[in-house]
Amino acid sequence: MVIEVTSSNHVFAGHGICDASSDAADAAADRALVGIQRDEALSLLASASYGRVVFTRDALPAIRPVNHLVDGGVVVVRTQLVSRVTDKVRSDPDVVVAYEADDIDPASQMGWSVVVTGIARPITDPERIARYEKLLRAWPDRDVEVIGIEPTIVTGVRLVGVPDQEPAAGRRSSIEGSNLSARS
């Protein structure tokens, strides 16, 4: 299935080749992606308590789950001092990372997803570090570093239900009249 994603308020339905009798095809037919604007995307991101930071490790993509908060438009995460994320940020002051969080209902498969791409830098101000350490609990609760991700690109989508629509009469008759159905 090919889905186009944008940060504007356009609706994109999934299109592709699939077995029309399958549950997956039926489920995909009643959902659509709706692009959301930057401010709403950051607000949704702020409402989630954890997400996934994406970075490169040995020239390959790597992903780590972390807690976060959004403060003044910056995504703030805490991660272990010995983690690959922290090593990468320390070794390259302008390392680009992506951060993703979502809230998608497993039953209805509806909800939202936000991806932030930007520069990750260690936060060094002792007052800010102390504040973030109180607000964010690191996953393994030991030596951690606070990292800020300054969003350059923010994209978000909502996966929403679409109303049932009857196929056009011409389309129905062309499907019924085709040789695709098995007749005895």
Side-chain angles (χ1 to χ4, degrees):
M1 179 180 293
V2 177
I3 300 174
E4 182 178 344
V5 179
T6 182
S7 61
S8 64
N9 285 328
H10 294 91
V11 176
F12 299 94
H15 299 284
I17 300 172
C18 56
D19 178 4
S21 64
S22 73
D23 291 338
D26 292 343
D30 27 342
R31 291 188 318 273
L33 289 177
V34 178
I36 55 178
Q37 297 295 321
R38 180 185 178 100
D39 290 343
E40 182 182 4
L42 288 173
S43 178
L44 289 169
L45 184 64
S47 73
S49 57
Y50 70 92
R52 289 152 288 284
V53 64
V54 182
F55 59 102
T56 56
R57 175 179 162 188
D58 301 326
L60 297 171
I63 301 171
R64 293 287 182 267
V66 292
N67 295 352
H68 74 271
L69 61 84
V70 178
D71 187 20
V74 174
V75 179
V76 180
V77 300
R78 286 182 69 196
T79 184
Q80 279 184 274
L81 283 171
V82 296
S83 81
R84 299 278 184 150
V85 178
T86 305
D87 290 345
K88 187 71 176 168
V89 170
R90 273 205 227 123
S91 68
D92 183 354
D94 290 325
V95 65
V96 174
V97 300
Y99 191 79
E100 189 274 343
D102 55 58
D103 184 11
I104 299 175
D105 180 83
S108 69
Q109 296 183 357
M110 292 187 209
W112 58 266
S113 175
V114 170
V115 177
V116 169
T117 305
I119 305 293
R121 295 188 174 99
I123 293 177
T124 56
D125 176 44
E127 289 180 16
R128 288 178 66 199
I129 291 171
R131 179 172 171 258
Y132 296 142
E133 285 177 343
K134 288 179 185 174
L135 296 172
L136 284 172
R137 181 175 178 198
W139 284 46
D141 200 18
R142 46 187 159 141
D143 295 333
V144 295
E145 186 160 339
V146 180
I147 296 172
I149 303 168
E150 299 170 16
T152 303
I153 301 169
V154 176
T155 58
V157 293
R158 286 187 185 275
L159 196 55
V160 299
V162 294
D164 291 334
Q165 296 179 6
E166 285 293 316
R171 183 170 180 221
R172 184 181 309 135
S173 63
S174 67
I175 292 172
E176 289 170 354
S178 72
N179 291 327
L180 293 177
S181 60
R183 296 187 182 166
S184 46

